[in-house]
Amino acid sequence: MSAFDLVVASNTLAPIDLHFGHLIRRRDSGPGADVLALTAALVSRERGRGHSCIDPRDWAGRPFPTEGVSTLPPLPDPTTWDCALTGSELIGDGSRPTPLVRDSAGRIYLHRYWRAEQRLAQRLIERLTRTAHKVDGEALAPLFQQLFGLGEVASNAAPDAQPSAPDWQAVAAAAALAHAVTLITGGPGTGKTTTVARILALLTAVAPEARIGLTAPTGKAAARLGEAIADQLDGLPIPGEQRGLIPRQASTLHRLLGFNPRNDRFRHHAGRPLALDTLVIDEASMVDLLMMDAVLDALPSTAHLILLGDRDQLASVETGFVFGDLCAAARPDGSYSSAFVDFYRQLSGRDLEASKATPTRGSLQDAAVELRISYRFRDQPGIGELATAVRLRQADQALSVLEDPAIDDVVLCAPPAVQDQALQPLLAPLEAYLASDSPTEALDRLTKFRILCARRQGDWGVERMNAVVERYLSRHDHPIGERWYPGRPIMVTANDYQVRLFNGDLGVCWPEGGRLWAWFVSGSDLRRLPLAKLPPHETAWAMTVHKSQGSEFDHVLLVFGDTDSQVMSRELLYTGLTRARKRAVIVATPNILRVAILRGVRRASGLVDALRPPESGRVAEPERPDQATTDVEIEVEPIGQEPGSGQLSLF
């Protein structure tokens, strides 16, 4: 029995991986057909786990990844693997259509993902080689300094005094004025949307006729972006007519591009581009490779692209981690080219550190800024300190924060023997929610608390914790129907443009006129919907950390339990923890947290190399020096994508 047949017999391959392997073996009759089939199945399997490609050097000599089967032979050594693939008509270098592509560094892709990665890199480089706007720094300096409070040095400072640290929000704004692509990364509360509102004020001062678009991967994130921009606009020192040039509403990426589910295509593309001069994408870490490729395809080559995100958050649930790769290629370390330092000084009157190395033309270095000061956790120092320790992979420091009796805004609780007892920290906000007198009040109080889980299923998964809450309700005389009941929180799981509900929208069941309705807030309006018209949805006392991205809650209960899972990672813990505004209670053992903090998510990709071409040989996977990574299992759960962007296709 061949190696591929042994893998097939293990019954652990997903149907799509199995069929793809069989297809490749049927179409190749050469001596390397078995290895080629194994390669195809592995590439397909890893694509489903978020990886754009595989590198045989990372897999050579390891058993094919199957569950509970230890007798499988190892994958070939690099030389044998290379010989088996060489000469096959089914794998090429991308110059002609083949199901598999091997790039110059030896990575192996499905053709569709190789093409998307190469095209995305090329379009970004082309944008980076030109200036976004012709900006007169001296003329714009008064408004720039007024927006960022840089006009005057403190009266008690020396005449030549300079702040001890740069205003990174101002640096980000200068980068946006200087470049056609801008990356702004930062944790929760670092002012990403505050910064972008000021950037838009500057851009409309430079180009009043510019057409601006606001977008995000999910309906929930888009609504939050629009609300945040609208909240900032009224306080900006710009004329009313200029405020009117800045949009106050955002759309989902699928709506922006005009996704058509009937043909799985977008209405806007290179042949029918978007009518935009500037596009802002919030929660960019959630945007997958194919979607970002589609955005760059549809965005006019002269348009300005601004990406906002947190490079330390979970990657997209679909293939790739584009935002993380862009940040890795840029390495925003706080030093910039002398040309950009001069431009920033002209705008702000302040200095920046100049890089010792001159960025090459098309480099992302000057276009990327990391916002470093979080304003959200000033009154919750425990959450902020723990989030920093987790992000920096400091397990001992993280556990020290959790053991400090003086810190009460973040708490570690041992998993109780009876799961129902884990609900105790949320009883106060839960009871307040149940005491609501109207759907408006209920929807407001529902945003104050949430249970977050690593997985949907299992002892501490979403389904089990939803059942825990419903058991509590039934024991305390709250009517619980088989499915519907007053106060049931529901979360939409698929976009429905007809009823204007989108993946991630949160609603509540509430009675009126003798019947139950589903109530939602749309902007400032409250609306109700018959239960029969609801798009796919689920009970939302608990949700996965993946689903919570882009949300904030006053009180968060993070339940991880006492059993390790490969889905647990530093990024998942960081993302879940930073959803809390006031207090986070973590139900886990210290060892589970320690393992998670030391386990990072690595997505195989060639995008960094494509954006920063190596002089010779292979460029190592870039990592932040304090954040080593290991490959982990990712539980894929759609959080706002429509069917179009994630389907497996050969070409």
Side-chain angles (χ1 to χ4, degrees), residues 58-345:
D58 295 333
W59 291 93
R62 293 170 51 185
F64 193 96
T66 55
E67 300 292 336
V69 180
S70 58
T71 58
L72 292 179
L75 289 161
D77 61 80
T79 302
T80 304
W81 206 332
D82 180 71
C83 291
L85 300 182
T86 300
S88 173
E89 291 296 314
L90 301 183
I91 185 166
D93 61 3
S95 59
R96 59 186 178 85
T98 54
L100 297 172
V101 172
R102 181 165 51 171
D103 71 4
S104 59
R107 289 175 291 247
I108 302 174
Y109 296 77
L110 294 174
H111 190 280
R112 184 183 189 187
Y113 293 87
W114 175 84
R115 184 179 60 181
E117 196 173 271
Q118 295 296 310
R119 191 166 52 190
L120 175 60
Q122 185 60 38
R123 285 171 173 156
L124 287 170
I125 290 171
E126 288 171 356
R127 290 172 187 273
L128 287 164
T129 56
R130 63 178 179 79
T131 303
H133 301 282
K134 293 182 179 179
V135 177
D136 184 338
E138 290 185 2
L140 197 59
L143 175 60
F144 187 96
Q145 294 175 19
Q146 186 179 12
L147 285 168
F148 293 98
L150 301 175
E152 297 181 1
V153 178
S155 59
N156 61 347
D160 59 349
Q162 290 290 335
S164 58
D167 183 331
W168 294 111
Q169 294 185 10
V171 176
L177 292 170
H179 301 94
V181 177
T182 311
L183 309 177
I184 303 176
T185 180
T190 52
K192 294 187 291 292
T193 51
T194 299
T195 302
V196 85
R198 296 171 181 175
I199 289 172
L200 295 179
L202 292 164
L203 291 177
T204 50
V206 173
E209 72 286 353
R211 299 160 297 179
I212 298 169
L214 305 177
T215 187
T218 69
K220 176 174 56 179
R224 286 177 59 84
L225 174 62
E227 292 165 3
I229 296 294
D231 289 344
Q232 292 291 324
L233 287 183
D234 293 336
L236 294 180
I238 56 176
E241 59 269 22
Q242 188 179 346
R243 286 196 196 96
L245 302 175
I246 301 173
R248 294 170 181 251
Q249 291 186 328
S251 68
T252 64
L253 283 167
H254 279 87
R255 170 168 277 193
L256 175 78
L257 297 179
F259 177 70
N260 186 342
R262 290 188 294 274
N263 60 14
D264 194 32
R265 297 189 183 280
F266 294 112
R267 184 162 57 93
H268 290 288
H269 44 75
R272 188 178 184 179
L274 295 162
L276 291 175
D277 300 295
T278 296
L279 178 63
V280 177
I281 304 180
D282 196 14
E283 298 292 347
S285 63
M286 299 164 64
V287 183
D288 65 90
L289 173 62
L290 294 185
M291 177 56 77
M292 194 68 82
D293 176 50
V295 170
L296 268 293
D297 187 45
L299 193 64
S301 60
T302 56
H304 185 183
L305 177 65
I306 302 174
L307 301 178
L308 310 177
D310 184 348
R311 63 172 172 174
D312 295 306
Q313 276 196 181
L314 286 164
S316 61
V317 296
E318 296 290 347
T319 304
F321 185 20
V322 174
F323 189 74
D325 284 343
L326 297 183
C327 290
R331 294 184 182 271
D333 60 1
S335 62
Y336 296 90
S337 70
S338 57
F340 180 73
V341 169
D342 291 343
F343 179 65
Y344 179 71
R345 185 186 300 114

Side-chain angles (χ1 to χ4, degrees), residues 347-372:
L347 284 169
S348 67
R350 307 295 171 91
D351 279 325
L352 275 176
E353 179 183 347
S355 174
K356 295 179 181 178
T358 302
T360 58
R361 185 167 174 80
S363 166
L364 277 165
Q365 180 181 333
D366 279 356
V369 180
E370 180 174 13
L371 306 183
R372 306 168 184 211

Side-chain angles (χ1 to χ4, degrees), residues 379-516:
D379 297 326
Q380 288 75 36
I383 297 176
E385 191 174 347
L386 180 58
T388 299
V390 171
R391 181 174 59 84
L392 297 180
R393 200 171 174 260
Q394 298 170 346
D396 289 340
Q397 176 62 23
L399 294 175
S400 177
V401 172
L402 291 167
E403 293 166 358
D404 189 341
I407 295 177
D408 61 0
D409 56 303
V410 61
V411 179
L412 177 62
C413 293
V418 179
Q419 285 185 324
D420 295 40
Q421 296 173 358
L423 201 58
Q424 187 68 32
L426 281 189
L427 290 185
L430 175 60
E431 291 290 353
Y433 167 75
L434 296 173
S436 301
D437 293 323
S438 67
T440 302
E441 191 173 46
L443 284 165
D444 178 64
R445 292 179 176 179
L446 187 59
T447 64
K448 307 296 184 187
F449 69 98
R450 196 56 39 90
I451 302 170
L452 301 182
C453 308
R455 310 196 70 135
R456 291 195 51 79
Q457 299 174 327
D459 288 343
W460 296 96
V462 168
E463 295 174 1
R464 185 69 60 87
M465 294 311 299
N466 276 330
V468 165
V469 177
E470 291 182 337
R471 278 200 303 269
Y472 173 85
L473 298 182
S474 64
R475 287 199 303 267
H476 291 77
D477 301 323
H478 190 85
I480 298 292
E482 190 170 309
R483 182 180 181 191
W484 301 107
Y485 51 88
R488 179 194 176 206
I490 51 177
M491 183 171 58
V492 175
T493 58
N495 294 344
D496 189 327
Y497 294 99
Q498 198 166 26
V499 298
R500 293 181 294 119
L501 288 175
F502 306 99
N503 193 313
D505 283 353
L506 197 66
V508 62
C509 296
W510 204 265
E512 182 176 89
R515 60 182 290 195
L516 276 179

Side-chain angles (χ1 to χ4, degrees), residues 24-49:
I24 294 299
R25 190 163 68 170
R26 286 197 303 269
R27 291 178 60 183
D28 189 290
S29 57
D34 191 58
V35 173
L36 192 64
L38 278 173
T39 304
L42 183 59
V43 172
S44 177
R45 178 188 187 275
E46 293 304 290
R47 199 286 316 173
R49 284 157 175 75

